[in-house]
Amino acid sequence: MAYEASVIEQKWQKIWQESEAFESKEDFTLPKKYILSMFPYPSGRIHMGHVRNYAIGDALARYYRKMGFNVLHPIGFDSFGMPAENAAIKHKIHPKTWTYENIAYMKKELFSLGFSFSKKRILATSDPIYTKFEQEFFIKMYERGLIYTKEARVNWCENDQTVLANEQVEDGKCWRCGHEVVQKVMPGYYVKITAYAEELLKELESLKGKWPTQVLTMQENWIGRSEGLEFTFWLDEESFKRADEASFEVFTTRADTIYGVSYVALAPEHKIVQNLLHKKFLDKKTMSQIQKMQNQSPKERQSAEKEGCFLGIYALHPLTKEKIPVWVANFVLADYGSGAVMAVPAHDERDFDFAKKYNLNIKQVIEATILPHTQKEGKLLESAEFNGLDCNEARNKIIEFFEKEKLGKRIINYKIRDWGVSRQRYWGAPVPMVRCEKCGIVPQKLENLPVLLPDDVEITGEGNPLDKHPTWKECECPKCGGKAQKESDTLDTFFESSWYYARFASDEKTWEDISIEKKSAKYWLGVDEYIGGIEHAILHLLYARFFQKVLRDLGYVEGDEPFSRLLTQGMVLKDGAKMSKSKGNVVNPDDIIKKYGADTARLFILFAAPPAKELEWNDDALEGAYRFIVRLYDRALKLESGTLEEISQETLNKEEKYARLKVYEALKKSQEVYTKSFAFNTLIAACMEALNAFGVCKNKALEREAFYIILNILEPIIPHICFELSEKLFHFENFKKLELKPEVFVKDSLNLGVSVNGKKRAEIEVNASLSQDEIIWLAKEKVAKWLEGKSVIKEIYVPNSLVNLVVK
């Protein structure tokens, strides 16, 4: 009977669906595994990146089920967002219609690959019941002071007509549409992620060895903790008159260089700069330069050439009272510290480059042979009573002096900024707030949730349709009962994806009534294995860690971290580039399933490269994966079904022992691969090697044992054919935890290298029972011609490896 992938796969998918084979159990006494892959955006079709992500997660879920674990393996859709509005404009279809039609198609695709997702816990973040509890969290966070409103300069995408977080700006462009991002002052809602900055940083330590080092480093750098001195620069009298401000604050981590300050730099958005612009105290060229800086995003400024303008004002040095020129510079960011920095060009490379460019004073205050001296070691010079102190001691002494004289204070600063979540678009969760002329901004009553979007809108791409709707905004104030308006901003989609893992962990029977059911969430959380792309290292993963801590403090969940372990899979490339429609290098999973079957797609995607590495598409390797499955199927059909025979290791010949060893080596490797390394490519290779070893072995009892084990090992990777063959041959008796047999690994003979003075000269095969002296004697016999006329002065035996003879 020829291998027919479609027949076998449709058969088992139907059986799995009807038997609810992949639903988690309600027995919370069982050991559990929560396996979660980052859910997809419902763009319309899954791509090979999805196949790779979900094949990895599915392999782990299936393995742990066989090991007796209670497994939760859900899937959902990150279904709010700008692409749906873009599609609405392009195809003249409602975003909701486009979204849910895509979800229906993608669900069919995912299950056609045999992924063992729970069908009872599927969700979409645009579902009204999901929005209801998301809005509840928003209100609870607002009441806790973790959400607030402010007017701030934000990243604005003119094309999408929406605000972007700093993390969503890539090379000065919108991460969604690629349009240039500009700076714009707007009111909005902000999540106080900075309140958890220290905890987010500290608990990275608990994730070491469980998360990729690269991700931990990226988060540590993004949070950016620094300790230093905050103090005030006062303007001189003439400058005060011009700037309408008497002083400004600065923060420095290098208090030891305070006597080396030769200029001060302000951010283009600083209040003093704005006052000078407003009063037109600056010439046209300077004003134009400042406005250009203001229109650059923080990322653009960091990568741009350092530029600035003298503002015509002076500050007084806090210790020497010397007049210090005040500049505006593009490298100073308004939302880091106070938006002002003291510049010490002799001891800071950035300050040095700026000073050289504009011919500013450079004052050395630390011993150094070259400038700029950026090391934090050395003795102080030209620093009054602090002369002769080394940098570290001087930093503390100077901060103590500032605090004693009430000139400044020691503080901890963070680079991370609060998270702006307001978006001026339609297809998102409405911010559950009301604006009342009498009461101001007021949260909706919880019983009025969810606040849902109106269906009768026209998506044109210009502005927010909710602002233009004739009636939707009108409402009663929850506080005074008077006329009010609903907030028309919707939430950043990362707000939705920051807590979906906890929703999945909640008993789906309670989803209508409870946001997160505590008993089931306590059992399932945290996620044991989380799989997704490294591009989410800062955005999603940092926000989700923050949400876990907030939900914990609000009493919804327990535990400090959402994801116990993280695997970041590499991208799928074709012709050296990431697959995309614009490049014309997309491979459609549906086409592969139709031609070769789902098992072939799964086998190829896990065999072609280690999970964390980039995978280059290879049509020949895809064909090879298909041929292996056909060979496995054909060989299995030649076996007789039934129970396994007891096999005595002593009765096997050399070829049979070798073939059996290869099978058990694969079994041993599987335990390490599925629980630690996830190197599925090496496991598949081990199974192929084991199957090949039976090419010269004609022992049917031994071959039946081999298939008993190999089908168990490969079931998480190619489940359909393994179910089919395991049913035929073993009635699924092999789908359980299999034990290693120690006697299989005992070798009758050893292959040893023989070296003379460290240079390999020969190999010998010896009986494993021989003594060390006997092995060395055989080694000497083998390399006798290299020993002629020489004396052996040392004999070294490395067990199971080599013999080295030192001669002279």
Side-chain angles (χ1 to χ4, degrees), residues 355-372:
K356 292 293 284 184
K357 180 173 181 176
Y358 294 105
N359 198 29
L360 300 173
N361 188 27
I362 297 174
K363 185 188 296 186
Q364 183 179 346
V365 291
I366 298 173
E367 291 176 354
T369 56
I370 57 170
L371 296 177

Side-chain angles (χ1 to χ4, degrees), residues 365-649:
V365 291
I366 298 173
E367 291 176 354
T369 56
I370 57 170
L371 296 177
H373 174 58
T374 56
Q375 288 178 287
K376 297 188 178 182
E377 301 297 332
K379 304 285 187 183
L380 265 62
L381 309 167
E382 305 294 328
S383 298
E385 67 263 40
F386 304 103
N387 280 344
L389 297 178
D390 68 60
C391 289
N392 288 326
E393 185 181 2
R395 267 193 292 279
N396 285 319
K397 294 278 188 186
I398 290 171
I399 292 174
E400 287 170 6
F401 179 81
F402 268 78
E403 290 186 317
K404 179 184 173 186
E405 299 297 322
K406 295 185 169 38
L407 298 172
K409 60 184 178 181
R410 187 190 303 269
I411 68 165
I412 294 170
N413 220 338
Y414 296 93
K415 194 172 100 177
I416 189 173
R417 300 295 90 200
D418 284 341
W419 172 19
V421 293
S422 296
R423 298 295 179 266
Q424 293 67 43
R425 61 171 176 244
Y426 166 75
W427 190 238
V431 171
M433 307 295 283
V434 164
R435 291 181 179 270
C436 172
E437 285 189 11
K438 181 180 176 183
C439 305
I441 298 175
V442 182
Q444 290 275 6
K445 291 180 179 177
L446 294 183
E447 57 264 33
N448 291 342
L449 303 182
V451 178
L452 297 177
L453 298 167
D455 289 332
D456 56 335
V457 294
E458 183 183 358
I459 312 293
T460 63
E462 296 180 6
N464 183 355
L466 296 180
D467 275 329
K468 300 173 185 177
H469 195 282
T471 59
W472 180 82
K473 286 177 71 173
E474 305 306 321
C475 67
E476 276 188 7
C477 173
K479 191 172 182 181
C480 71
K483 286 186 178 181
Q485 288 194 327
K486 296 173 189 168
E487 179 60 72
S488 62
D489 281 358
T490 54
L491 289 169
D492 179 8
T493 55
F494 283 101
F495 204 90
E496 280 101 55
S497 60
S498 293
W499 68 281
Y500 79 109
Y501 69 90
R503 180 67 163 175
F504 278 143
S506 184
D507 184 351
E508 76 278 357
K509 294 189 294 297
T510 69
W511 278 9
E512 289 290 327
D513 305 309
I514 302 173
S515 56
I516 300 170
E517 196 275 312
K518 288 186 179 179
K519 185 179 178 183
S520 52
K522 182 178 180 179
Y523 173 71
W524 288 115
L525 292 176
V527 176
D528 295 286
E529 301 288 352
Y530 195 39
I531 303 127
I534 198 167
E535 65 271 18
H536 297 292
I538 294 172
L539 286 161
H540 164 61
L541 288 169
L542 187 62
Y543 293 155
R545 292 184 62 225
F546 164 73
F547 247 81
Q548 172 71 18
K549 298 172 195 319
V550 171
L551 292 176
R552 174 202 64 196
D553 292 348
L554 290 173
Y556 288 97
V557 299
E558 297 180 16
D560 300 326
E561 289 291 331
F563 312 121
S564 301
R565 296 213 309 185
L566 173 70
L567 170 63
T568 52
Q569 92 279 358
M571 290 190 297
V572 180
L573 311 177
K574 190 171 186 221
D575 304 324
K578 183 180 179 180
M579 288 187 181
S580 71
K581 290 179 182 177
S582 61
K583 292 187 178 76
N585 65 347
V586 171
V587 175
N588 189 338
D590 288 350
D591 295 338
I592 297 172
I593 294 169
K594 188 175 180 181
K595 185 174 181 180
Y596 298 108
D599 281 342
T600 295
R602 295 171 62 123
L603 183 69
F604 165 78
I605 210 76
L606 293 178
F607 183 49
K613 302 293 184 184
E614 291 180 340
L615 184 157
E616 178 67 38
W617 189 263
N618 186 318
D619 289 325
D620 291 338
L622 184 67
E623 288 275 0
Y626 176 72
R627 287 196 300 271
F628 170 74
I629 290 175
V630 171
R631 190 163 75 252
L632 181 76
Y633 182 78
D634 290 345
R635 289 276 293 275
L637 292 187
K638 294 174 183 175
L639 295 175
E640 295 177 7
S641 63
T643 56
L644 294 185
E645 297 177 27
E646 193 66 38
I647 297 171
S648 173
Q649 185 74 6

Side-chain angles (χ1 to χ4, degrees), residues 200-224 534 536-538 541-542 545 561 563-566 568:
L200 286 166
L201 182 65
K202 184 179 178 182
E203 286 184 2
L204 290 174
E205 194 68 31
S206 70
L207 300 174
K208 286 184 176 177
K210 303 172 187 176
W211 281 35
T213 302
Q214 184 183 1
V215 175
L216 297 177
T217 300
M218 290 168 77
Q219 290 212 1
E220 183 179 351
N221 291 341
W222 190 262
I223 296 167
I534 198 167
H536 297 292
I538 294 172
L541 288 169
L542 187 62
R545 292 184 62 225
E561 289 291 331
F563 312 121
S564 301
R565 296 213 309 185
L566 173 70
T568 52

Side-chain angles (χ1 to χ4, degrees), residues 65 189 249 287 355 630 781:
R65 284 193 196 96
Y189 290 86
E249 302 294 315
M287 291 174 69
V630 171
E781 285 284 301

Side-chain angles (χ1 to χ4, degrees), residues 654 657 661 743-752 764-776 778 797-801:
K654 183 178 178 181
K657 286 181 178 179
L661 174 64
E743 66 269 20
V744 175
F745 296 92
V746 177
K747 295 181 179 178
D748 294 334
S749 62
L750 302 172
N751 289 311
L752 305 173
I764 56 173
E765 183 177 354
V766 300
N767 191 298
S769 63
L770 292 182
S771 68
Q772 180 174 326
D773 289 341
E774 289 171 315
I775 289 171
I776 290 174
L778 288 171
Y797 173 54
V798 181
N800 303 322
S801 180

